[in-house]
Amino acid sequence: DVKVTQSSRYLVKRTGEKVFLECVQDMDHENMFWYRQDPGLGLRLIYFSYDVKMKEKGDIPEGYSVSREKKERFSLILESASTNQTSMYLCASSTAGVQREQYFGPGTRLTVT
Amino acid sequence: EDQVTQSPEALRLQEGESSSLNCSYTVSGLRGLFWYRQDPGKGPEFLFTLYSAGEEKEKERLKATLTKKESFLHITAPKPEDSATYLCAVHYTGRRALTFGSGTRLQVQP
């Protein structure tokens, strides 16, 4: 079974803090993705990576950065957290070729106060 | 503009009452349409991929179909454990990632 794990299920941070969200997959997938999910807006792509050290901006990259130093790990960084970044963050992975299905982690519910 | 639209936003069924969820898309160059199920507080779980108009996939009480403009997720004789949010997503030419709809929240009452 594909397994995608995320470092925290719930996280509470203060405005201005630097926040790291970690994602690890165990299926040797080439592609990894970060989404945020908000009521009524669906899943919106923040960043994705198709190879180690490679990344591409998604639809809403502002305020975020990413790092992929190893194939199995993809990190999302909020350089200076703001209250409008309070959301559910979901990581996903897939084999090469975007038309392949994506497998999701359990999500991190981030609250910025 | 919306490229993937799901309807209805919410649906309440009685156990055994069959129905369909709709996912319409306005993208060109469709390369795949995906259905996911998401339980509260969890990540989406993959259900089906459809690649071309006329294709159908089935899994237990669920059947997904695809036309050139939309996809349906048919739920036959649903049970309370089918209650979840169902998401569809498309992959189309010119975009490397999936585009998701907002989902249909399904509640099946015993």
Side-chain angles (χ1 to χ4, degrees):
Chain A
D1 275 356
V2 175
K3 192 159 187 183
V4 180
T5 57
Q6 295 183 229
S7 51
S8 305
R9 291 301 309 276
Y10 301 94
L11 210 52
V12 180
K13 295 293 182 180
R14 293 195 178 275
T15 300
E17 279 192 83
K18 192 169 186 176
V19 181
F20 293 87
L21 302 183
E22 301 279 331
C23 176
V24 178
Q25 50 95 3
D26 67 357
M27 286 303 293
D28 201 36
H29 283 170
E30 290 79 12
N31 298 334
M32 295 189 75
F33 307 83
W34 275 108
Y35 295 88
R36 64 178 283 177
Q37 186 175 31
D38 301 288
L41 296 177
L43 272 78
R44 293 180 292 167
L45 181 68
I46 305 171
Y47 267 98
F48 71 97
S49 169
Y50 49 91
D51 201 352
V52 175
K53 297 188 187 294
M54 305 301 288
K55 60 186 179 184
E56 278 196 25
K57 293 180 180 179
D59 300 315
I60 52 165
E62 297 77 21
Y64 304 93
S65 63
V66 291
S67 173
R68 191 165 181 204
E69 297 296 320
K70 293 185 178 181
K71 190 175 185 180
E72 67 271 17
R73 189 179 298 270
F74 192 34
S75 302
L76 180 69
I77 303 152
L78 287 65
E79 295 291 341
S80 178
S82 63
T83 55
N84 63 13
Q85 293 177 310
T86 292
S87 187
M88 169 71 92
Y89 289 87
L90 290 160
C91 174
S93 71
S94 74
T95 56
V98 182
Q99 61 269 33
R100 299 288 186 178
E101 57 269 18
Q102 295 180 12
Y103 294 90
F104 284 83
T108 295
R109 172 77 62 187
L110 173 67
T111 302
V112 183
T113 62
Chain B
E1 69 284 357
D2 288 336
Q3 295 174 308
V4 183
T5 305
Q6 291 189 245
S7 61
E9 287 187 15
L11 181 63
R12 183 179 296 180
L13 301 174
Q14 293 295 316
E15 184 171 2
E17 179 187 3
S18 301
S19 188
S20 297
L21 313 181
N22 178 263
C23 172
S24 64
Y25 57 93
T26 57
V27 304
S28 58
L30 182 75
R31 300 181 67 182
L33 186 141
F34 302 78
W35 281 99
Y36 287 84
R37 169 194 170 123
Q38 185 175 24
D39 294 302
K42 296 187 177 181
E45 176 188 343
F46 170 73
L47 293 173
F48 304 110
T49 309
L50 302 166
Y51 292 105
S52 57
E55 189 174 359
E56 299 181 352
K57 294 269 179 80
E58 285 189 71
K59 181 179 181 180
E60 296 181 357
R61 295 176 293 282
L62 301 177
K63 178 180 177 180
T65 61
L66 181 65
T67 71
K68 289 187 177 180
K69 293 184 177 180
E70 59 192 348
S71 176
F72 291 94
L73 185 65
H74 306 279
I75 304 177
T76 303
K79 298 182 178 182
E81 53 263 40
D82 295 322
S83 297
T85 296
Y86 291 85
L87 302 169
C88 79
V90 299
H91 172 223
Y92 58 93
T93 303
R95 180 167 164 88
R96 295 177 68 109
L98 299 181
T99 300
F100 281 83
S102 297
T104 293
R105 191 171 63 255
L106 173 67
Q107 185 179 5
V108 181
Q109 295 182 315

